[in-house]
Amino acid sequence: MDCCCAPPTKAKLLLTKGEICFYGEKTRGSLNNRGFGIPVWKKNLCGKGSRNLKPGVAFSVLTRDINKQMAAFESSSFSEDHPRADPATVASIILGGGAGTRLFPLTGRRSKPAVPIGGYRLIDVPMSNCINSGIRKIFIMTQFNSFSLNRHLARTYNFGNGVTFGDGFVEVLAATQTPGEAGKKWFQGTADAVRQFIWVFEAAKNKNIEHIVILSGDHLYRMDYMDFVQKHIDTNADITVSCVPMDDSRASDYGLMKIDETGQIIQFSEKPKGSDLKSMRVDTSILGLSHQEAMNFPYIASMGVYVFKTEVLLKLLKRTYPSCNDFGSEIIPAAVKDHNVQAYLFSDYWEDIGTIKSFFDANLALTEQPPKFDFNDPKTPFYTSPRFLPPTKVERCRIADAIISHGCFLRECSVEHSIVGIRSRLENGVELKDTMMMGADYYQTESEIASLLAQGKVPIGVGQNTKISNCIIDKNAKIGKDVIIANKDSVEEAERADEGFYIRSGITVILKNSTIKDGTII
């Protein structure tokens, strides 16, 4: 894929008396957006201070490309001690029920996983990763504003279309109320959401599900989860946490960890602040970072992606910590004390789409050359709902570093460093720059548009000679002619719902179904 991750390099396998050392050569890449090159714990495993490892066991934190090369090495003891991960024994749980307050107003009428991104929806990321990894047993847990998400899932991921898809399934587990006092509560957190449906997973355990992958529905990344599960099996872990190096500016937004030389997590702190944050600083050069990179990224952050042994997960939720409601802040920190909790280093592009700014930046980054993340990978495609739309029609336009979705009409306009969503209409003289336009859910005919204009009303799309920059335009927005949306006063925060827009982190957000009248200046 075209991102800030480096391509595969030649791996070396060194065998000495009683031990095996595996490492890859230093790969190119930068730490921008947490994509980087690593030599895979070479310093700890080779040369002085290397540990005595079992023969036939490759000890490392593996990147995806290195895993592919490692697959060729399967000695008899490796196969016996560490069986290959079987997707048939793995189920995934995608957590999509959060209120998404930091993404408001985009989450005003939809859940976070249903928010569009680059022509897809956020839920398509973990769903596609599961399918590409061979995982066919998928649960999605929903709670807030779930109508749009449920509709998208039903249209897109209907395995078999009425015909059984082996033993695979996609099941939506919506928050509901059940008899008894406890049954009257909505999901109180990520762990409580799983606990409230524990009877489903207990039944799943009888279907040979040995491991459960827990995923978030609001991240952007490409990952082979079976590599993740394989590391989990190889280390005989009860829990494995996927992690990335993190810088000072965002460290307090994530769960942070300390690990020992074997990769086992010895301390975990969820979103620490002040002195607690400073205490979680570590020498990340043990992950293979250069001295300068380790200085810039002194924390190891959890991605919020976990693998549990099924029996361990059920035991933790039912008996060990029956009152703990969250994985990151309660279950994982407590389990570190008496369980084998391992870290899995993820060395590819990953972004948490948790705020308006991160959403905006991640979308526009898709238009860069080369992009840090690219949906276009024929080997691991991303899936979404089929729209059956015609090709986009472009008439004498200037388009630079942009993504134009299907079914659009662009007439003598300029589009630069922007994304134009499905069914969008841009009229003569429109200038779109640094803008994420989500598009429309339906078309208006030429006669309907002419009738609206004759009545002095605004049709869906962007009218003539309108100039827009640094903006997110939600679906079905009606923006008139001669409008200027530029936030020239550099306002950081504003709430103008009655006028059809908000400003978040200096980014103007035009609301879904809103109307911006002719000649408006924002």
Side-chain angles (χ1 to χ4, degrees):
M1 59 179 272
D2 294 326
C3 66
C4 51
C5 177
T9 57
K10 294 181 179 179
K12 298 180 180 179
L13 186 64
L14 305 180
L15 293 89
T16 59
K17 292 183 179 180
E19 69 175 14
I20 285 181
C21 180
F22 177 84
Y23 62 90
E25 294 176 359
K26 179 71 176 182
T27 59
R28 65 180 177 85
S30 71
L31 276 159
N32 293 332
N33 290 292
R34 294 168 302 284
F36 53 93
I38 63 170
V40 194
W41 294 38
K42 173 180 174 182
K43 182 173 73 173
N44 284 352
L45 300 181
C46 306
K48 295 181 179 179
S50 62
R51 301 172 63 244
N52 293 323
L53 305 178
K54 294 180 180 179
V57 177
F59 177 81
S60 63
V61 177
L62 302 178
T63 68
R64 176 174 173 166
D65 292 322
I66 294 174
N67 266 331
K68 292 178 180 177
Q69 298 179 39
M70 186 59 190
F73 171 66
E74 290 185 0
S75 68
S76 58
S77 64
F78 186 93
S79 300
E80 293 171 2
D81 296 344
H82 302 284
R84 299 301 300 171
D86 181 2
T89 66
V90 179
S92 66
I93 301 173
I94 302 175
L95 303 171
T101 53
R102 294 185 301 160
L103 264 180
F104 185 85
L106 300 181
T107 52
R109 295 186 181 181
R110 60 169 77 92
S111 61
K112 280 197 295 183
V115 172
I117 182 167
Y120 297 80
R121 292 182 185 246
L122 281 171
I123 190 64
D124 293 328
V125 174
M127 287 295 300
S128 298
N129 283 334
C130 284
I131 293 170
N132 293 330
S133 301
I135 298 174
R136 296 292 191 270
K137 300 171 183 176
I138 305 170
F139 300 95
I140 302 107
M141 315 203 76
T142 65
Q143 180 162 278
F144 295 96
N145 281 335
S146 59
F147 169 72
S148 177
L149 175 61
N150 293 340
R151 180 178 60 186
H152 177 74
L153 291 168
R155 289 177 175 177
T156 310
Y157 303 103
N158 183 10
F159 283 177
N161 204 17
V163 180
T164 57
F165 192 80
D167 60 351
F169 54 80
V170 176
E171 296 286 351
V172 174
L173 304 179
T176 186
Q177 293 189 341
T178 56
E181 191 63 30
K184 295 180 180 179
K185 297 179 181 179
W186 298 110
F187 295 157
Q188 302 300 302
T190 54
D192 183 64
V194 178
R195 182 185 294 111
Q196 288 197 30
F197 279 96
I198 202 164
W199 55 274
V200 173
F201 307 116
E202 286 177 327
K205 181 184 178 183
N206 297 327
K207 297 179 181 178
N208 299 319
I209 294 179
E210 300 174 2
H211 309 283
I212 294 180
V213 183
I214 296 182
L215 309 168
S216 176
D218 59 353
H219 297 165
L220 180 61
Y221 63 113
R222 178 181 273 104
M223 183 176 185
D224 187 337
Y225 296 136
M226 294 314 298
D227 289 346
F228 186 25
V229 174
Q230 188 64 57
K231 168 64 161 55
H232 177 74
I233 293 173
D234 291 349
T235 56
N236 194 29
D238 297 312
I239 309 168
T240 303
V241 181
S242 189
C243 61
V244 292
M246 185 60 59
D247 58 21
D248 281 295
S249 63
R250 300 178 64 186
S252 61
D253 294 334
Y254 300 95
L256 303 179
M257 65 190 78
K258 292 183 178 180
I259 60 177
D260 64 16
E261 61 180 2
T262 71
Q264 183 167 346
I265 299 173
I266 56 177
Q267 185 179 349
F268 191 97
S269 179
E270 180 72 1
K271 299 180 180 179
K273 302 289 190 296
S275 59
D276 292 336
L277 174 62
K278 292 182 179 179
S279 70
M280 295 304 294
R281 292 175 68 98
V282 296
D283 180 9
T284 52
S285 63
I286 64 171
L287 304 178
L289 276 67
S290 68
H291 176 72
Q292 186 58 47
E293 289 171 341
M295 292 287 289
N296 295 336
F297 293 80
Y299 299 96
I300 304 175
S302 167
M303 293 168 54
V305 176
Y306 316 112
V307 181
F308 284 81
K309 286 182 178 177
T310 303
E311 65 271 19
V312 171
L313 176 63
L314 300 181
K315 178 183 176 183
L316 290 173
L317 294 178
K318 286 186 68 175
R319 296 191 293 274
T320 311
Y321 307 113
S323 60
C324 292
N325 294 326
D326 190 76
F327 285 117
S329 62
E330 296 175 291
I331 299 289
I332 302 296
V336 163
K337 301 174 184 177
D338 50 13
H339 289 76
N340 180 12
V341 183
Q342 289 282 327
Y344 174 85
L345 178 65
F346 183 66
S347 60
D348 215 326
Y349 175 94
W350 174 80
E351 184 62 59
D352 179 6
I353 312 295
T355 65
I356 290 293
K357 180 169 175 51
S358 63
F359 171 81
F360 183 70
D361 291 343
N363 269 282
L364 294 192
L366 297 173
T367 69
E368 297 172 358
Q369 294 298 330
K372 297 181 178 68
F373 179 86
D374 194 351
F375 283 107
N376 302 315
D377 185 338
K379 293 183 179 179
T380 54
F382 276 65
Y383 304 93
T384 193
S385 177
R387 282 104 175 205
F388 308 110
L389 293 173
T392 286
K393 186 175 182 181
V394 178
E395 300 176 2
R396 296 190 295 275
C397 299
R398 177 186 176 274
I399 300 174
D401 298 330
I403 295 175
I404 312 295
S405 299
H406 293 119
C408 299
F409 296 90
L410 281 62
R411 299 184 177 94
E412 299 185 41
C413 60
S414 171
V415 180
E416 181 181 351
H417 195 226
S418 297
I419 292 179
V420 179
I422 57 172
R423 303 186 187 92
S424 292
R425 182 182 61 85
L426 303 181
E427 292 293 354
N428 300 356
V430 168
E431 294 181 10
L432 216 63
K433 184 177 181 180
D434 300 329
T435 293
M436 197 291 183
M437 184 175 183
M438 294 186 185
D441 291 318
Y442 57 94
Y443 282 120
Q444 291 176 325
T445 65
E446 291 296 328
S447 59
E448 287 174 331
I449 293 173
S451 176
L452 289 169
L453 291 174
Q455 299 174 53
K457 296 181 179 179
V458 181
I460 291 176
V462 182
Q464 295 180 2
N465 300 316
T466 287
K467 311 294 189 287
I468 301 175
S469 63
N470 202 43
C471 183
I472 298 172
I473 304 172
D474 209 335
K475 281 193 170 183
N476 308 327
K478 307 172 185 70
I479 301 176
K481 61 184 179 181
D482 300 315
V483 172
I484 297 177
I485 302 175
N487 189 16
K488 290 185 177 180
D489 294 332
S490 301
V491 176
E492 281 295 306
E493 302 289 330
E495 298 186 10
R496 303 283 184 85
D498 55 336
E499 299 178 40
F501 71 93
Y502 281 71
I503 297 178
R504 290 285 183 263
S505 302
I507 302 161
T508 305
V509 182
I510 306 300
L511 301 180
K512 185 176 182 179
N513 301 319
S514 63
T515 300
I516 306 297
K517 296 180 180 179
D518 295 348
T520 300
I521 298 177
I522 299 177

mmCIF file of all heavy atoms in Angstrom, residues 92-133:
data_model
loop_
_atom_site.group_PDB
_atom_site.id
_atom_site.type_symbol
_atom_site.label_atom_id
_atom_site.label_comp_id
_atom_site.label_asym_id
_atom_site.label_seq_id
_atom_site.Cartn_x
_atom_site.Cartn_y
_atom_site.Cartn_z
ATOM 1 N N SER A 92 -14.589 -11.510 15.838
ATOM 2 C CA SER A 92 -14.271 -10.112 16.130
ATOM 3 C C SER A 92 -15.497 -9.396 16.678
ATOM 4 O O SER A 92 -16.637 -9.720 16.318
ATOM 5 C CB SER A 92 -13.773 -9.394 14.868
ATOM 6 O OG SER A 92 -14.809 -9.293 13.916
ATOM 7 N N ILE A 93 -15.229 -8.437 17.549
ATOM 8 C CA ILE A 93 -16.270 -7.562 18.087
ATOM 9 C C ILE A 93 -15.876 -6.131 17.740
ATOM 10 O O ILE A 93 -14.816 -5.660 18.159
ATOM 11 C CB ILE A 93 -16.414 -7.701 19.615
ATOM 12 C CG1 ILE A 93 -16.755 -9.140 20.005
ATOM 13 C CG2 ILE A 93 -17.468 -6.734 20.140
ATOM 14 C CD1 ILE A 93 -16.744 -9.373 21.509
ATOM 15 N N ILE A 94 -16.704 -5.451 16.962
ATOM 16 C CA ILE A 94 -16.441 -4.062 16.604
ATOM 17 C C ILE A 94 -17.318 -3.171 17.472
ATOM 18 O O ILE A 94 -18.550 -3.295 17.463
ATOM 19 C CB ILE A 94 -16.733 -3.810 15.112
ATOM 20 C CG1 ILE A 94 -15.878 -4.739 14.247
ATOM 21 C CG2 ILE A 94 -16.463 -2.351 14.759
ATOM 22 C CD1 ILE A 94 -16.198 -4.649 12.760
ATOM 23 N N LEU A 95 -16.680 -2.296 18.236
ATOM 24 C CA LEU A 95 -17.398 -1.408 19.155
ATOM 25 C C LEU A 95 -17.787 -0.130 18.418
ATOM 26 O O LEU A 95 -16.925 0.632 18.006
ATOM 27 C CB LEU A 95 -16.518 -1.094 20.366
ATOM 28 C CG LEU A 95 -16.040 -2.332 21.150
ATOM 29 C CD1 LEU A 95 -15.004 -1.933 22.189
ATOM 30 C CD2 LEU A 95 -17.224 -3.029 21.818
ATOM 31 N N GLY A 96 -19.069 0.076 18.230
ATOM 32 C CA GLY A 96 -19.534 1.233 17.475
ATOM 33 C C GLY A 96 -20.619 2.010 18.186
ATOM 34 O O GLY A 96 -21.407 2.694 17.530
ATOM 35 N N GLY A 97 -20.655 1.919 19.506
ATOM 36 C CA GLY A 97 -21.787 2.509 20.212
ATOM 37 C C GLY A 97 -21.545 3.819 20.919
ATOM 38 O O GLY A 97 -22.429 4.342 21.580
ATOM 39 N N GLY A 98 -20.343 4.399 20.795
ATOM 40 C CA GLY A 98 -20.045 5.640 21.512
ATOM 41 C C GLY A 98 -20.855 6.819 20.996
ATOM 42 O O GLY A 98 -21.298 6.842 19.848
ATOM 43 N N ALA A 99 -21.044 7.821 21.859
ATOM 44 C CA ALA A 99 -21.844 8.996 21.489
ATOM 45 C C ALA A 99 -21.144 9.867 20.459
ATOM 46 O O ALA A 99 -21.787 10.611 19.726
ATOM 47 C CB ALA A 99 -22.155 9.823 22.742
ATOM 48 N N GLY A 100 -19.803 9.829 20.401
ATOM 49 C CA GLY A 100 -19.071 10.594 19.406
ATOM 50 C C GLY A 100 -19.166 12.091 19.599
ATOM 51 O O GLY A 100 -19.255 12.849 18.623
ATOM 52 N N THR A 101 -19.132 12.546 20.852
ATOM 53 C CA THR A 101 -19.316 13.972 21.133
ATOM 54 C C THR A 101 -18.208 14.830 20.528
ATOM 55 O O THR A 101 -18.459 15.967 20.115
ATOM 56 C CB THR A 101 -19.373 14.211 22.649
ATOM 57 O OG1 THR A 101 -18.210 13.615 23.267
ATOM 58 C CG2 THR A 101 -20.612 13.564 23.250
ATOM 59 N N ARG A 102 -16.985 14.306 20.433
ATOM 60 C CA ARG A 102 -15.886 15.103 19.882
ATOM 61 C C ARG A 102 -15.980 15.240 18.366
ATOM 62 O O ARG A 102 -15.330 16.105 17.787
ATOM 63 C CB ARG A 102 -14.532 14.488 20.279
ATOM 64 C CG ARG A 102 -14.237 14.526 21.772
ATOM 65 C CD ARG A 102 -12.841 14.010 22.066
ATOM 66 N NE ARG A 102 -12.660 12.643 21.608
ATOM 67 C CZ ARG A 102 -11.473 12.074 21.385
ATOM 68 N NH1 ARG A 102 -10.359 12.766 21.556
ATOM 69 N NH2 ARG A 102 -11.392 10.826 20.973
ATOM 70 N N LEU A 103 -16.788 14.392 17.728
ATOM 71 C CA LEU A 103 -17.009 14.501 16.288
ATOM 72 C C LEU A 103 -18.289 15.264 15.947
ATOM 73 O O LEU A 103 -18.649 15.384 14.773
ATOM 74 C CB LEU A 103 -17.066 13.115 15.650
ATOM 75 C CG LEU A 103 -15.771 12.577 15.030
ATOM 76 C CD1 LEU A 103 -16.004 11.187 14.454
ATOM 77 C CD2 LEU A 103 -15.223 13.497 13.957
ATOM 78 N N PHE A 104 -18.970 15.764 16.960
ATOM 79 C CA PHE A 104 -20.164 16.560 16.705
ATOM 80 C C PHE A 104 -19.757 17.838 15.966
ATOM 81 O O PHE A 104 -18.709 18.400 16.246
ATOM 82 C CB PHE A 104 -20.843 16.915 18.045
ATOM 83 C CG PHE A 104 -22.147 17.644 17.887
ATOM 84 C CD1 PHE A 104 -23.318 16.942 17.687
ATOM 85 C CD2 PHE A 104 -22.189 19.030 17.913
ATOM 86 C CE1 PHE A 104 -24.515 17.618 17.527
ATOM 87 C CE2 PHE A 104 -23.367 19.711 17.749
ATOM 88 C CZ PHE A 104 -24.544 19.004 17.557
ATOM 89 N N PRO A 105 -20.516 18.310 14.979
ATOM 90 C CA PRO A 105 -21.886 17.942 14.605
ATOM 91 C C PRO A 105 -22.017 16.810 13.580
ATOM 92 O O PRO A 105 -23.126 16.502 13.153
ATOM 93 C CB PRO A 105 -22.416 19.253 14.017
ATOM 94 C CG PRO A 105 -21.231 19.878 13.391
ATOM 95 C CD PRO A 105 -20.073 19.548 14.297
ATOM 96 N N LEU A 106 -20.909 16.198 13.150
ATOM 97 C CA LEU A 106 -21.012 15.107 12.183
ATOM 98 C C LEU A 106 -21.760 13.912 12.757
ATOM 99 O O LEU A 106 -22.315 13.102 12.017
ATOM 100 C CB LEU A 106 -19.615 14.676 11.726
ATOM 101 C CG LEU A 106 -18.750 15.744 11.045
ATOM 102 C CD1 LEU A 106 -17.410 15.163 10.626
ATOM 103 C CD2 LEU A 106 -19.477 16.337 9.837
ATOM 104 N N THR A 107 -21.774 13.798 14.091
ATOM 105 C CA THR A 107 -22.474 12.696 14.748
ATOM 106 C C THR A 107 -23.832 13.133 15.290
ATOM 107 O O THR A 107 -24.407 12.446 16.137
ATOM 108 C CB THR A 107 -21.612 12.133 15.889
ATOM 109 O OG1 THR A 107 -21.207 13.216 16.754
ATOM 110 C CG2 THR A 107 -20.382 11.439 15.360
ATOM 111 N N GLY A 108 -24.332 14.240 14.810
ATOM 112 C CA GLY A 108 -25.644 14.707 15.269
ATOM 113 C C GLY A 108 -26.758 13.747 14.898
ATOM 114 O O GLY A 108 -27.719 13.590 15.656
ATOM 115 N N ARG A 109 -26.642 13.089 13.735
ATOM 116 C CA ARG A 109 -27.697 12.178 13.278
ATOM 117 C C ARG A 109 -27.149 10.825 12.850
ATOM 118 O O ARG A 109 -27.845 10.064 12.183
ATOM 119 C CB ARG A 109 -28.462 12.806 12.111
ATOM 120 C CG ARG A 109 -29.218 14.061 12.490
ATOM 121 C CD ARG A 109 -30.089 14.566 11.347
ATOM 122 N NE ARG A 109 -30.793 15.780 11.708
ATOM 123 C CZ ARG A 109 -31.636 16.426 10.900
ATOM 124 N NH1 ARG A 109 -31.855 15.949 9.683
ATOM 125 N NH2 ARG A 109 -32.237 17.538 11.287
ATOM 126 N N ARG A 110 -25.906 10.550 13.214
ATOM 127 C CA ARG A 110 -25.309 9.253 12.870
ATOM 128 C C ARG A 110 -24.281 8.890 13.933
ATOM 129 O O ARG A 110 -23.755 9.753 14.624
ATOM 130 C CB ARG A 110 -24.654 9.301 11.481
ATOM 131 C CG ARG A 110 -23.558 10.342 11.386
ATOM 132 C CD ARG A 110 -22.745 10.213 10.106
ATOM 133 N NE ARG A 110 -23.406 10.739 8.929
ATOM 134 C CZ ARG A 110 -23.276 11.987 8.481
ATOM 135 N NH1 ARG A 110 -22.545 12.863 9.168
ATOM 136 N NH2 ARG A 110 -23.854 12.363 7.368
ATOM 137 N N SER A 111 -23.974 7.613 14.060
ATOM 138 C CA SER A 111 -22.925 7.178 14.984
ATOM 139 C C SER A 111 -21.562 7.384 14.337
ATOM 140 O O SER A 111 -21.451 7.553 13.125
ATOM 141 C CB SER A 111 -23.113 5.704 15.347
ATOM 142 O OG SER A 111 -23.026 4.903 14.193
ATOM 143 N N LYS A 112 -20.510 7.357 15.146
ATOM 144 C CA LYS A 112 -19.163 7.569 14.610
ATOM 145 C C LYS A 112 -18.805 6.597 13.476
ATOM 146 O O LYS A 112 -18.276 7.015 12.443
ATOM 147 C CB LYS A 112 -18.116 7.474 15.734
ATOM 148 C CG LYS A 112 -17.988 8.722 16.560
ATOM 149 C CD LYS A 112 -16.698 8.738 17.351
ATOM 150 C CE LYS A 112 -16.630 7.646 18.378
ATOM 151 N NZ LYS A 112 -15.394 7.713 19.198
ATOM 152 N N PRO A 113 -19.063 5.303 13.623
ATOM 153 C CA PRO A 113 -18.669 4.393 12.539
ATOM 154 C C PRO A 113 -19.405 4.644 11.227
ATOM 155 O O PRO A 113 -18.961 4.170 10.183
ATOM 156 C CB PRO A 113 -19.014 3.011 13.104
ATOM 157 C CG PRO A 113 -18.994 3.190 14.583
ATOM 158 C CD PRO A 113 -19.521 4.560 14.809
ATOM 159 N N ALA A 114 -20.513 5.380 11.266
ATOM 160 C CA ALA A 114 -21.268 5.658 10.043
ATOM 161 C C ALA A 114 -20.807 6.934 9.356
ATOM 162 O O ALA A 114 -21.316 7.268 8.279
ATOM 163 C CB ALA A 114 -22.757 5.749 10.357
ATOM 164 N N VAL A 115 -19.862 7.663 9.934
ATOM 165 C CA VAL A 115 -19.386 8.914 9.334
ATOM 166 C C VAL A 115 -18.608 8.603 8.058
ATOM 167 O O VAL A 115 -17.731 7.738 8.052
ATOM 168 C CB VAL A 115 -18.491 9.681 10.332
ATOM 169 C CG1 VAL A 115 -17.839 10.886 9.665
ATOM 170 C CG2 VAL A 115 -19.319 10.139 11.530
ATOM 171 N N PRO A 116 -18.907 9.284 6.941
ATOM 172 C CA PRO A 116 -18.187 9.035 5.681
ATOM 173 C C PRO A 116 -16.726 9.463 5.760
ATOM 174 O O PRO A 116 -16.381 10.439 6.422
ATOM 175 C CB PRO A 116 -18.947 9.907 4.665
ATOM 176 C CG PRO A 116 -20.286 10.148 5.275
ATOM 177 C CD PRO A 116 -20.032 10.220 6.752
ATOM 178 N N ILE A 117 -15.872 8.701 5.064
ATOM 179 C CA ILE A 117 -14.463 9.068 4.962
ATOM 180 C C ILE A 117 -13.929 8.567 3.623
ATOM 181 O O ILE A 117 -14.006 7.374 3.311
ATOM 182 C CB ILE A 117 -13.626 8.494 6.138
ATOM 183 C CG1 ILE A 117 -12.175 8.950 6.011
ATOM 184 C CG2 ILE A 117 -13.748 6.982 6.225
ATOM 185 C CD1 ILE A 117 -11.353 8.695 7.261
ATOM 186 N N GLY A 118 -13.438 9.486 2.808
ATOM 187 C CA GLY A 118 -12.818 9.126 1.532
ATOM 188 C C GLY A 118 -13.679 8.303 0.607
ATOM 189 O O GLY A 118 -13.173 7.468 -0.149
ATOM 190 N N GLY A 119 -15.002 8.500 0.636
ATOM 191 C CA GLY A 119 -15.902 7.716 -0.198
ATOM 192 C C GLY A 119 -16.400 6.441 0.457
ATOM 193 O O GLY A 119 -17.242 5.745 -0.114
ATOM 194 N N TYR A 120 -15.900 6.130 1.642
ATOM 195 C CA TYR A 120 -16.340 4.971 2.411
ATOM 196 C C TYR A 120 -17.014 5.471 3.694
ATOM 197 O O TYR A 120 -17.296 6.651 3.846
ATOM 198 C CB TYR A 120 -15.149 4.071 2.767
ATOM 199 C CG TYR A 120 -14.452 3.464 1.578
ATOM 200 C CD1 TYR A 120 -13.533 4.197 0.831
ATOM 201 C CD2 TYR A 120 -14.703 2.150 1.195
ATOM 202 C CE1 TYR A 120 -12.892 3.641 -0.274
ATOM 203 C CE2 TYR A 120 -14.062 1.584 0.091
ATOM 204 C CZ TYR A 120 -13.161 2.341 -0.625
ATOM 205 O OH TYR A 120 -12.527 1.783 -1.708
ATOM 206 N N ARG A 121 -17.268 4.561 4.608
ATOM 207 C CA ARG A 121 -17.666 4.927 5.967
ATOM 208 C C ARG A 121 -16.667 4.308 6.924
ATOM 209 O O ARG A 121 -16.042 3.288 6.605
ATOM 210 C CB ARG A 121 -19.089 4.455 6.283
ATOM 211 C CG ARG A 121 -20.168 5.188 5.476
ATOM 212 C CD ARG A 121 -21.540 4.707 5.861
ATOM 213 N NE ARG A 121 -22.584 5.299 5.041
ATOM 214 C CZ ARG A 121 -23.521 6.137 5.489
ATOM 215 N NH1 ARG A 121 -23.525 6.489 6.765
ATOM 216 N NH2 ARG A 121 -24.447 6.612 4.688
ATOM 217 N N LEU A 122 -16.524 4.901 8.104
ATOM 218 C CA LEU A 122 -15.508 4.423 9.042
ATOM 219 C C LEU A 122 -15.687 2.944 9.380
ATOM 220 O O LEU A 122 -14.709 2.222 9.574
ATOM 221 C CB LEU A 122 -15.531 5.268 10.320
ATOM 222 C CG LEU A 122 -14.840 6.628 10.233
ATOM 223 C CD1 LEU A 122 -15.125 7.463 11.480
ATOM 224 C CD2 LEU A 122 -13.335 6.455 10.056
ATOM 225 N N ILE A 123 -16.922 2.474 9.454
ATOM 226 C CA ILE A 123 -17.151 1.064 9.791
ATOM 227 C C ILE A 123 -16.574 0.141 8.724
ATOM 228 O O ILE A 123 -16.229 -1.013 9.001
ATOM 229 C CB ILE A 123 -18.666 0.782 9.960
ATOM 230 C CG1 ILE A 123 -18.900 -0.617 10.541
ATOM 231 C CG2 ILE A 123 -19.395 0.958 8.641
ATOM 232 C CD1 ILE A 123 -18.365 -0.830 11.931
ATOM 233 N N ASP A 124 -16.428 0.647 7.496
ATOM 234 C CA ASP A 124 -15.874 -0.185 6.419
ATOM 235 C C ASP A 124 -14.421 -0.568 6.679
ATOM 236 O O ASP A 124 -13.933 -1.562 6.120
ATOM 237 C CB ASP A 124 -15.965 0.556 5.079
ATOM 238 C CG ASP A 124 -17.394 0.754 4.617
ATOM 239 O OD1 ASP A 124 -18.233 -0.114 4.915
ATOM 240 O OD2 ASP A 124 -17.672 1.791 3.968
ATOM 241 N N VAL A 125 -13.720 0.218 7.511
ATOM 242 C CA VAL A 125 -12.305 -0.068 7.776
ATOM 243 C C VAL A 125 -12.134 -1.366 8.568
ATOM 244 O O VAL A 125 -11.500 -2.313 8.083
ATOM 245 C CB VAL A 125 -11.623 1.127 8.479
ATOM 246 C CG1 VAL A 125 -10.193 0.777 8.876
ATOM 247 C CG2 VAL A 125 -11.652 2.355 7.566
ATOM 248 N N PRO A 126 -12.692 -1.485 9.795
ATOM 249 C CA PRO A 126 -12.526 -2.769 10.500
ATOM 250 C C PRO A 126 -13.250 -3.918 9.808
ATOM 251 O O PRO A 126 -12.774 -5.056 9.843
ATOM 252 C CB PRO A 126 -13.099 -2.488 11.896
ATOM 253 C CG PRO A 126 -14.046 -1.347 11.704
ATOM 254 C CD PRO A 126 -13.427 -0.507 10.626
ATOM 255 N N MET A 127 -14.391 -3.643 9.166
ATOM 256 C CA MET A 127 -15.099 -4.719 8.465
ATOM 257 C C MET A 127 -14.242 -5.282 7.330
ATOM 258 O O MET A 127 -14.111 -6.506 7.183
ATOM 259 C CB MET A 127 -16.423 -4.192 7.910
ATOM 260 C CG MET A 127 -17.498 -3.943 8.954
ATOM 261 S SD MET A 127 -18.059 -5.442 9.782
ATOM 262 C CE MET A 127 -18.687 -6.388 8.409
ATOM 263 N N SER A 128 -13.645 -4.405 6.527
ATOM 264 C CA SER A 128 -12.806 -4.854 5.417
ATOM 265 C C SER A 128 -11.550 -5.551 5.928
ATOM 266 O O SER A 128 -11.107 -6.559 5.348
ATOM 267 C CB SER A 128 -12.427 -3.667 4.530
ATOM 268 O OG SER A 128 -13.576 -3.066 3.964
ATOM 269 N N ASN A 129 -10.959 -5.032 6.997
ATOM 270 C CA ASN A 129 -9.788 -5.686 7.590
ATOM 271 C C ASN A 129 -10.125 -7.102 8.049
ATOM 272 O O ASN A 129 -9.329 -8.028 7.892
ATOM 273 C CB ASN A 129 -9.249 -4.864 8.754
ATOM 274 C CG ASN A 129 -8.452 -3.651 8.305
ATOM 275 O OD1 ASN A 129 -7.894 -3.631 7.211
ATOM 276 N ND2 ASN A 129 -8.384 -2.640 9.148
ATOM 277 N N CYS A 130 -11.310 -7.273 8.635
ATOM 278 C CA CYS A 130 -11.727 -8.611 9.070
ATOM 279 C C CYS A 130 -11.869 -9.544 7.876
ATOM 280 O O CYS A 130 -11.367 -10.680 7.882
ATOM 281 C CB CYS A 130 -13.057 -8.525 9.824
ATOM 282 S SG CYS A 130 -12.953 -7.900 11.517
ATOM 283 N N ILE A 131 -12.561 -9.072 6.840
ATOM 284 C CA ILE A 131 -12.798 -9.911 5.661
ATOM 285 C C ILE A 131 -11.477 -10.272 4.987
ATOM 286 O O ILE A 131 -11.245 -11.432 4.623
ATOM 287 C CB ILE A 131 -13.736 -9.190 4.685
ATOM 288 C CG1 ILE A 131 -15.134 -9.062 5.304
ATOM 289 C CG2 ILE A 131 -13.815 -9.934 3.357
ATOM 290 C CD1 ILE A 131 -16.074 -8.164 4.548
ATOM 291 N N ASN A 132 -10.589 -9.279 4.839
ATOM 292 C CA ASN A 132 -9.297 -9.540 4.209
ATOM 293 C C ASN A 132 -8.408 -10.443 5.059
ATOM 294 O O ASN A 132 -7.492 -11.089 4.540
ATOM 295 C CB ASN A 132 -8.579 -8.223 3.930
ATOM 296 C CG ASN A 132 -9.281 -7.393 2.863
ATOM 297 O OD1 ASN A 132 -9.924 -7.936 1.973
ATOM 298 N ND2 ASN A 132 -9.160 -6.080 2.966
ATOM 299 N N SER A 133 -8.648 -10.476 6.366
ATOM 300 C CA SER A 133 -7.885 -11.345 7.269
ATOM 301 C C SER A 133 -8.466 -12.748 7.339
ATOM 302 O O SER A 133 -7.895 -13.623 7.994
ATOM 303 C CB SER A 133 -7.851 -10.740 8.682
ATOM 304 O OG SER A 133 -7.259 -9.454 8.682
#
